[in-house]
Amino acid sequence: MTSSRPYLLRALWEWVTDNGFTPHLLVDATVEGVIVPEAFVDQGKITLNVGPTAVQALNIGDEAVAFSARFAGSPMDVFVPMQAVLAVYARENGQGMMFGSEPGPGPDDDGPGTPPDGSGDDGGGEDSPAPKRKGPALKVVK
């Protein structure tokens, strides 16, 4: 199955801009293939303003985000592989989405990921108690 990250990223970018806010990406600058201005990287991460007035030729593709922008007055072509995008959010109110790792083999993973239903091994073994249900539950009433 293809990654849901590019689809969610495109949808959230559109949602943020449609509401008049400024979309920002949080990027892991240590991922192989990331091309960003190193001077603005802090602790291996960089926040990029990807609003329509801040970038040119924005392309949110299935494999990467690419655009041209100016950093401290110098033009630069930016390239961010999709797996390096950690979050997309609105600068003004912080609303958006953090991305976690997706199921299935990834660039650093040799085997299958945790199934979407959460039934993967949590390292507890067979003697681990089943998690207790919290909150309301639905019942069929006749």
Side-chain angles (χ1 to χ4, degrees), residues 5 9 36 44 59 74 89 98 100 127 130 136:
R5 190 174 303 206
L9 181 56
V36 294
N59 180 12
S74 299
Y89 63 95
M98 294 277 303
D127 295 331

Side-chain angles (χ1 to χ4, degrees), residues 9-69:
L9 181 56
R10 285 188 288 265
L12 287 165
W13 184 92
E14 187 174 338
W15 175 68
V16 170
T17 56
D18 283 354
N19 282 284
F21 295 129
T22 310
H24 278 59
L25 297 181
L26 178 62
V27 173
D28 181 350
T30 64
V31 172
E32 188 176 337
V34 171
I35 301 171
V36 294
E38 293 296 323
F40 298 97
V41 174
D42 183 29
Q43 297 181 1
K45 295 182 176 50
I46 186 169
T47 301
L48 300 169
N49 177 348
V50 290
T53 60
V55 300
Q56 294 179 338
L58 176 65
N59 180 12
I60 304 174
D62 290 342
E63 300 298 321
V65 177
F67 59 89
S68 296

